[in-house]
Amino acid sequence: MDLNIRNFCIIAHIDHGKSTLADRLLEKTETIPKREMIKQVLDDMDLEQERGITIKLHAIQLKYKAKDNNNYTLNLIDTPGHVDFSYEVSRSLAACEGALLVVDSSQGIEAQTVSNLYLAIDANLTIIPVINKIDLPSADIESVKKQIIELIGCKDEDIILASAKQDIGTDQILEAIVNHIPPPQVVEDVPLRALVFDSTFDIYRGIIVYLRIFDGKLKAGDKVQFFQTGINVEAEEVGTLKMTRIKKDELISGDVGYMITGIKTVSDLLVGDTIINTANPASEPLKGYKKVKPMVFSGIYPSQSEDFENLREALTKLKTNDASLIYEPETSSALGFGFRCGFLGLLHMEITQERLEREYDQNIVTTVPNVEYKVHTTSGEVSLVDNPSQMPPIGEIDYIEEPFIRAQILSPSEFMGNIMKLANDRRGVFVSTSYLDAKKVDLQFEFPLSEIIFDFHDKMKSLTKGYASLDYEFLDYRKSELVKLDILLNGDPVDALSSIIHKSKSYEWGRKLCTKLRQLIPKQMFEVVIQAAIGAKVIARETVKPLRKNVIAKCYGGDISRKRKLLEKQKEGKKRMKQVGSVQIPQEAFLAILQIES
Amino acid sequence: MAGIYLHIPYCNTKCIYCDFYSITNHSTKVDMIDCLIKEIESKAIELKDKKFDTIFFGGGTPSLLLPSDLNKLFNVLYSNLNISSDSEISIEANPGTMNRKKLESFKELPINRISFGVQSFNNADLKFLTRIHSGRQAIDSIKEAQDAGFNNINLDLIFALPGQSLKGWEKNLETAVKLNTQHVSAYSLIFEEGTPLIKLYKLGKVRPADEEKERKMYDFTMAFFEEYGFNHYEISNYAKPGYECRHNLKYWMHKEYISFGPSAASYINDYRWVNVRDVNEYIKRIKSGTMAYDFIEYIDYDKSIDEYIMLGLRSTGIDINILRERYKIDFFSKYKSAAELLIKNNLAELKADTFYLTSKGYAVCDEILATYF
């Protein structure tokens, strides 16, 4: 029985110094020698490092000799830091007994931190509050302390003052982990129950499951079952996680480690699932498992239709380390063959698109993101619509429901007016307000999800000089006055440009969308008439005048090879556009709606 | 039958818009002519089965050559290549370098066509274009050439100059037809990379004519020459029937041509190559007996078909029989919808197995090519 294990994670807002602190802990415990230390080891995807956010979860084991002269095993479980991944965060938290709450001394508590903190408190975790970046000239330690005390009711002296960058407070943090976080409850003589909190895909070994053993033990060679999917596998290899995988004969109650089973299909593995022993199965799974549901949907198409199979392959590969990505083939009359993809949120969508382009070298066209609607038809049926072009004709619709979310916005109180105005523009319903301290206000709203998936976050940031932060959770479906806004080019509806929008905004949006499209669609051979319509009713119209002159006047002699190459280039440019009827549409046009100033 | 081109890179001054290879230092001239001769001789065996019926002296300003220089070149050409006796033999001339005596001596040579780089009869336009001649000189030179007995004369004109009015352009055209030449090239000003003109543009010192104005000038030009009985046989070229430039038609009808001199391009036996764009390098290579080209490409099936269509639509059209026989393409199945759309909108016509652009189509030829072919 090993009482010297501590399983913990770090709760922090983006840029509040989580990764730097993790680096210090790795250094202090000599998990990795200082000179080999690449900045922020935990975030190993390029994109994560660039965006300063952790997308995938990881875990790492640290060996620490504490001041009491005992050796401790500290398992640091990393958590993703964005609103889209709150379920994954909750599963990582469930694998821990404690959490470091890291708050930037100049920024104070942010909405994201609060919601993750509540998840941690719900999971009965011991919270160790840390104020980071105390060396900053703009540090306001006193008010951040007040905010923390207000939130978790700790004592002033419990709060550790640190600067991960300057290595201030690191020792204190390590001691607090050992002294305040309880060791895991060890339950050995019962059937195995292990929590899957993450996985990665290794091209040679298949899926690597990251797990926390709650009950019993897991030996290499054991036959095990995933409770939710019912899949039976053999635990080919088990071990703990340092900078590399350390193979072990067995993992026991309280341990955090990995398991390799040879599973290749990521959909067989669900975060939050419970691993049980096939021969001696536990009767109940661990609590907290949820099926992750996508909230935001968008079409992803190859910019050249012959690349459809390549895109499918890229998505398949991407899916192997992003189980929450959902996709299925769809066809658009405008864009041809592509995929309708479901994402946990807007950031998840952006990351997926960027990874497809950068890691998988795909040239893609994406359509405007939308939420999933519940459409009640006059015949009494309810259908789920995640693509505007699938919306039944107006005459067949009784009413439409859309998803609503509860949003928490934390902001300096001086920007309250701006936030209220923005919320009002986005059909927000004000719920409550409370003060974290004299300067920081906590605003609660209810919003239609569709209103915050476009540019709400950017807008909010610019209206609050970057100080406000947002967190949200799904509430319910509510009846709304929604209409489908169609765009017609030379009389033909372009399905990929359709959107679902609140009736009160439809005229203004129709007009603005037409204007934007006029700017984005280049002059071509023939006039292009752009119309916005609701049902059969045209509500706005613009025209792109035809091209009047496009010919290089001179062609003599050897000019011909050069001229042919110029033409090839022009053709390449055309290829990147999508041809709909007689109209060529540049890729940017499909996201025109995102560029509209509301 | 193939064509022959010789590039004479010397000019007295360099015009701001010109992107042909030319230099104002004439010190290499004697060497250059020797090398032209050597280059022609070096190709004689390779070309022994080819027949030629056009010769074109381009530049630069080939009219700067002495009649004796030209005579030497003719001797070498005729003794090394199979040149038909009824060949079209053209020389480009800058009105500022011509006089009656020179024209008379040119007439003594096998030259039977002169192409004058007039560009405009308006002195303000000419000044903008940094031409060395005046409007008056241009008129005089053409008349002198006619007096000397030349009856196949082209003049080049440029439109869509910055600040040029439609009226000003019309006046140029009227002056041109009064001179009774057999051929006019009228092309819109192009802002070519690497020219002083595009530098001025990038500095914001000149603004190109707007699209609408350029189109109006082009429409006017096409209608104007039609009225005067010219045949509009290429985007920018108009000829009295029977006076189409046979040499340029080699390029536009995807025929073969051999070229000599720096920067000159050849197209023979499915290869296209372009000589170095530097007279010293050209001389060095020819003297050392190595090839003078710095670009060569094999025109494979795909390139060939693209070029044939591109050139055809720019000029006299695509011959459906050639498409079928040479390229194994059935025009009516491969380009059916594009052709119908273009014909329906008066951008193209199909007559006697030839698909060709109308004047309306010429104006947007590049767009048509890039979109539909």
Side-chain angles (χ1 to χ4, degrees):
Chain A
M1 226 167 60
D2 187 358
L3 287 176
N4 293 348
I5 295 179
R6 298 293 182 273
N7 296 322
F8 74 105
C9 59
I10 304 175
I11 296 171
H13 192 72
I14 297 159
D15 285 340
H16 281 203
K18 179 174 78 171
S19 299
T20 318
L21 177 59
D23 289 353
R24 286 295 92 75
L25 297 177
L26 296 189
E27 258 174 43
K28 268 277 145 61
T29 56
E30 290 172 9
T31 309
I32 180 167
K34 200 165 184 169
R35 66 194 150 79
E36 281 176 33
M37 191 83 193
I38 325 151
K39 209 178 152 283
Q40 301 181 2
V41 176
L42 288 183
D43 298 343
D44 63 4
M45 264 198 295
D46 280 1
L47 210 58
E48 292 182 25
Q49 291 212 354
E50 265 172 46
R51 292 189 166 219
I53 45 172
T54 309
I55 300 158
K56 288 300 294 176
L57 305 154
H58 299 270
I60 190 161
Q61 192 176 82
L62 325 172
K63 293 287 184 194
Y64 175 59
K65 184 168 184 170
K67 294 204 171 115
D68 64 9
N69 264 329
N70 288 324
N71 287 311
Y72 289 87
T73 297
L74 313 181
N75 288 309
L76 166 56
I77 294 167
D78 201 13
T79 54
H82 191 272
V83 58
D84 293 350
F85 302 98
S86 62
Y87 171 70
E88 276 85 347
V89 173
S90 79
R91 295 307 82 207
S92 294
L93 295 175
C96 303
E97 278 75 35
L100 302 178
L101 169 68
V102 176
V103 183
D104 185 311
S105 67
S106 65
Q107 307 286 324
I109 296 248
E110 311 262 7
Q112 188 65 62
T113 318
V114 177
S115 66
N116 286 346
L117 178 66
Y118 288 156
L119 288 174
I121 292 170
D122 283 350
N124 280 324
L125 265 52
T126 300
I127 309 293
I128 298 172
V130 177
I131 297 179
N132 192 24
K133 308 195 188 180
I134 55 161
D135 56 319
L136 287 182
S138 56
D140 185 357
I141 296 167
E142 283 317 305
S143 55
V144 177
K145 269 187 178 170
K146 268 185 211 147
Q147 291 172 12
I148 292 173
I149 293 167
E150 171 75 17
L151 270 172
I152 62 172
C154 65
K155 289 190 208 115
D156 193 317
E157 60 269 26
D158 293 340
I159 301 172
I160 300 170
L161 302 183
S163 163
K165 210 167 142 200
Q166 309 283 346
D167 198 11
I168 299 167
T170 319
D171 291 323
Q172 230 185 315
I173 291 168
L174 283 165
E175 285 297 313
I177 291 168
V178 166
N179 296 325
H180 299 324
I181 297 177
Q185 242 189 349
V186 175
V187 191
E188 271 186 305
D189 301 323
V190 291
L192 167 73
R193 288 201 301 174
L195 170 74
V196 175
F197 64 83
D198 191 22
S199 67
T200 54
F201 186 79
D202 181 296
I203 49 166
Y204 303 108
R205 307 298 308 269
I207 286 165
I208 298 173
V209 181
Y210 295 136
L211 49 82
R212 153 79 194 265
I213 312 269
F214 278 91
D215 300 342
K217 56 176 74 169
L218 173 62
K219 282 209 245 0
D222 279 354
K223 303 267 190 267
V224 296
Q225 188 184 64
F226 292 100
F227 197 95
Q228 303 294 343
T229 59
I231 288 169
N232 288 293
V233 292
E234 186 188 318
E236 288 171 11
E237 182 183 318
V238 298
T240 54
L241 296 150
K242 294 208 175 172
M243 288 309 286
T244 53
R245 293 191 292 267
I246 312 291
K247 213 165 142 179
K248 299 265 167 160
D249 293 334
E250 62 174 21
L251 294 173
I252 59 162
S253 174
D255 278 344
V256 169
Y258 71 92
M259 172 175 80
I260 294 172
T261 65
I263 303 181
K264 300 270 194 240
T265 330
V266 76
S267 49
D268 291 345
L269 193 98
L270 305 170
V271 167
D273 203 348
T274 304
I275 300 167
I276 57 173
N277 190 302
T278 314
N280 180 19
S283 54
E284 291 285 318
L286 294 162
K287 287 199 182 72
Y289 169 76
K290 237 171 48 183
K291 204 168 153 62
V292 190
K293 268 188 62 186
M295 302 285 278
V296 177
F297 300 82
S298 151
I300 295 186
Y301 289 81
S303 27
Q304 290 176 30
S305 48
E306 61 263 34
D307 290 334
F308 175 74
E309 282 305 324
N310 291 338
L311 179 59
R312 182 203 293 276
E313 206 172 299
L315 281 167
T316 311
K317 282 186 194 152
L318 192 57
K319 172 103 185 155
T320 58
N321 53 41
D322 181 2
S324 39
L325 171 67
I326 285 167
Y327 62 91
E328 57 181 37
E330 73 168 1
T331 334
S332 151
S333 57
L335 299 173
F337 292 103
F339 297 91
R340 172 106 324 216
C341 301
F343 309 95
L344 300 177
L346 199 62
L347 180 88
H348 185 210
M349 180 181 86
E350 283 172 14
I351 289 167
T352 306
Q353 289 165 357
E354 258 185 77
R355 290 186 66 193
L356 282 172
E357 286 181 333
R358 282 159 58 160
E359 291 172 38
Y360 297 95
D361 207 18
Q362 298 295 304
N363 208 344
I364 55 173
V365 178
T366 53
T367 62
V368 173
N370 54 268
V371 299
E372 190 169 56
Y373 299 92
K374 277 186 187 163
V375 181
H376 297 255
T377 61
T378 46
S379 60
E381 282 163 21
V382 184
S383 52
L384 290 174
V385 172
D386 64 15
N387 181 346
S389 67
Q390 307 293 323
M391 190 59 84
I394 293 181
E396 292 172 23
I397 298 172
D398 184 5
Y399 63 95
I400 303 172
E401 290 181 297
E402 64 176 329
F404 269 67
I405 51 112
R406 167 94 165 209
Q408 176 186 41
I409 298 174
L410 294 193
S411 168
S413 47
E414 57 187 294
F415 301 118
M416 241 175 103
N418 286 351
I419 292 170
M420 293 301 245
K421 191 180 172 308
L422 175 64
N424 196 38
D425 286 346
R426 302 302 178 98
R427 297 192 280 138
V429 179
F430 174 73
V431 177
S432 69
T433 168
S434 59
Y435 282 82
L436 282 186
D437 62 21
K439 282 177 273 173
K440 199 148 197 170
V441 64
D442 174 350
L443 297 159
Q444 305 271 336
F445 294 94
E446 289 172 4
F447 281 106
L449 176 61
S450 64
E451 292 285 345
I452 64 159
I453 60 171
F454 288 167
D455 58 348
F456 184 88
H457 197 253
D458 293 344
K459 272 271 147 58
M460 183 191 77
K461 285 282 177 193
S462 72
L463 287 172
T464 60
K465 297 188 176 156
Y467 282 114
S469 59
L470 163 80
D471 188 62
Y472 67 84
E473 59 179 350
F474 174 73
L475 271 179
D476 51 16
Y477 270 82
R478 293 180 192 174
K479 199 167 156 177
S480 285
E481 285 284 314
L482 298 167
V483 292
K484 181 178 162 213
L485 182 68
D486 288 320
I487 294 293
L488 292 83
L489 296 180
N490 288 348
D492 298 325
V494 180
D495 57 2
L497 288 172
S498 291
S499 50
I500 292 167
I501 190 157
H502 196 259
K503 205 173 174 184
S504 64
K505 294 182 170 187
S506 57
Y507 275 69
E508 190 194 345
W509 274 68
R511 265 198 316 277
K512 286 181 172 170
L513 191 52
C514 285
T515 310
K516 193 78 216 172
L517 286 168
R518 176 171 52 75
Q519 292 159 2
L520 290 171
I521 295 175
K523 280 187 178 182
Q524 31 208 285
M525 290 293 303
F526 305 107
E527 183 177 80
V528 180
V529 176
I530 304 163
Q531 290 167 306
I534 296 168
K537 190 176 177 201
V538 172
I539 59 166
R541 181 194 157 107
E542 292 276 350
T543 47
V544 179
K545 295 239 161 11
L547 195 69
R548 294 288 284 154
K549 184 123 200 251
N550 180 15
V551 58
I552 290 182
K554 268 190 329 184
C555 178
Y556 298 103
D559 213 7
I560 289 162
S561 285
R562 205 183 103 191
K563 190 153 247 99
R564 192 195 69 241
K565 285 175 194 160
L566 282 175
L567 184 62
E568 282 163 6
K569 248 194 188 163
Q570 254 185 306
K571 284 184 184 172
E572 278 301 310
K574 298 268 181 204
K575 261 192 173 176
R576 280 196 294 276
M577 297 212 257
K578 282 285 173 186
Q579 177 107 19
V580 180
S582 60
V583 184
Q584 287 170 325
I585 311 175
Q587 297 177 13
E588 314 85 84
F590 293 101
L591 291 172
I593 207 166
L594 297 183
Q595 299 173 22
I596 291 175
E597 287 294 310
S598 53
Chain B
M1 291 280 204
I4 299 167
Y5 176 82
L6 293 96
H7 191 79
I8 311 299
Y10 305 104
C11 281
N12 283 339
T13 60
K14 178 100 188 146
C15 302
I16 55 163
Y17 59 91
C18 175
D19 79 327
F20 290 107
Y21 175 60
S22 67
I23 48 174
T24 51
N25 176 346
H26 299 188
S27 61
T28 51
K29 205 170 98 183
V30 174
D31 267 355
M32 217 289 295
I33 290 168
D34 285 348
C35 286
L36 276 178
I37 290 167
K38 212 172 161 202
E39 195 185 11
I40 295 164
E41 288 169 344
S42 75
K43 291 281 193 294
I45 295 169
E46 192 185 325
L47 298 171
K48 70 178 185 341
D49 298 328
K50 301 280 177 195
K51 285 218 159 80
F52 300 91
D53 67 348
T54 69
I55 302 175
F56 197 103
F57 289 89
T61 311
S63 56
L64 285 173
L65 290 184
L66 300 172
S68 56
D69 295 330
L70 286 164
N71 199 31
K72 250 203 290 193
L73 290 168
F74 278 122
N75 283 335
V76 179
L77 284 169
Y78 279 96
S79 53
N80 284 279
L81 304 170
N82 303 317
I83 297 168
S84 153
S85 60
D86 67 345
S87 291
E88 173 197 274
I89 300 171
S90 311
I91 187 164
E92 288 180 334
N94 183 322
T97 65
M98 298 309 285
N99 55 49
R100 190 174 297 269
K101 199 168 148 245
K102 197 161 195 176
L103 282 160
E104 279 163 2
S105 60
F106 278 10
K107 192 69 186 111
E108 301 298 310
L109 297 164
I111 296 169
N112 53 30
R113 184 175 184 272
I114 300 190
S115 172
F116 283 101
V118 172
Q119 321 312 359
S120 176
F121 294 103
N122 175 312
N123 288 339
D125 291 349
L126 291 168
K127 199 175 161 210
F128 170 78
L129 294 169
T130 60
R131 300 292 298 183
I132 55 169
H133 64 87
S134 66
R136 188 72 247 165
Q137 266 177 309
I139 294 169
D140 290 347
S141 287
I142 291 162
K143 285 186 172 156
E144 282 164 8
Q146 286 165 333
D147 289 348
F150 285 101
N151 57 9
N152 188 357
I153 296 174
N154 168 58
L155 58 92
D156 283 347
L157 293 174
I158 304 183
F159 66 94
L161 303 177
Q164 189 180 37
S165 66
L166 186 58
K167 272 263 160 337
W169 173 238
E170 288 173 21
K171 222 175 140 194
N172 263 339
L173 291 178
E174 275 152 21
T175 311
V177 289
K178 272 190 205 134
L179 288 167
N180 240 332
T181 61
Q182 289 71 25
H183 194 286
V184 178
S185 282
Y187 49 89
S188 58
L189 182 67
I190 305 168
F191 289 66
E192 302 270 14
E193 278 307 324
T195 58
L197 181 65
I198 202 160
K199 273 191 208 130
L200 290 172
Y201 165 69
K202 285 175 181 166
L203 290 169
K205 302 234 163 106
V206 293
R207 270 229 318 267
D210 73 60
E211 191 186 301
E212 194 52 46
K213 187 164 157 191
E214 191 180 329
R215 174 66 185 263
K216 277 197 178 123
M217 288 181 170
Y218 189 49
D219 283 348
F220 181 87
T221 310
M222 292 187 284
F224 181 88
F225 283 116
E226 195 184 342
E227 199 185 310
Y228 280 89
F230 283 79
N231 180 11
H232 187 187
Y233 72 106
E234 196 260 356
I235 301 276
S236 308
N237 285 272
Y238 308 84
K240 288 279 173 66
Y243 287 93
E244 292 82 6
C245 176
R246 282 155 60 192
H247 183 78
N248 282 334
L249 278 171
K250 303 279 183 219
Y251 303 136
W252 302 333
M253 296 178 79
H254 214 222
K255 297 271 164 68
E256 292 188 311
Y257 45 91
I258 182 77
S259 299
F260 306 102
S263 85
S266 306
Y267 176 51
I268 295 276
N269 296 337
D270 297 327
Y271 280 92
R272 180 171 296 112
W273 66 90
V274 182
N275 280 352
V276 289
R277 218 182 140 92
D278 178 306
V279 75
N280 293 309
E281 179 66 18
Y282 170 77
I283 290 168
K284 200 174 106 193
R285 296 233 202 141
I286 295 292
K287 278 192 172 165
S288 68
T290 53
M291 297 296 184
Y293 56 76
D294 72 344
F295 167 83
I296 181 161
E297 70 172 342
Y298 176 66
I299 307 300
D300 61 16
Y301 172 86
D302 288 340
K303 287 175 183 161
S304 183
I305 177 78
D306 281 356
E307 289 185 355
Y308 177 72
I309 290 176
M310 173 182 86
L311 296 166
L313 289 188
R314 290 184 62 89
S315 59
T316 50
I318 308 169
D319 183 331
I320 284 165
N321 300 314
I322 290 184
L323 272 190
R324 189 175 48 242
E325 282 149 30
R326 195 193 299 165
Y327 297 110
K328 314 291 173 218
I329 287 175
D330 178 28
F331 181 81
F332 295 103
S333 52
K334 184 156 185 196
Y335 301 114
K336 186 170 183 284
S337 56
E340 281 172 3
L341 183 72
L342 294 170
I343 291 170
K344 194 182 102 195
N345 288 280
N346 295 325
L347 292 158
E349 277 174 29
L350 181 67
K351 256 183 214 153
D353 284 354
T354 303
F355 179 77
Y356 58 95
L357 297 187
T358 60
S359 21
K360 214 178 136 194
Y362 274 153
V364 286
C365 177
D366 288 0
E367 184 72 16
I368 290 174
L369 283 165
T371 310
Y372 303 109
F373 292 93

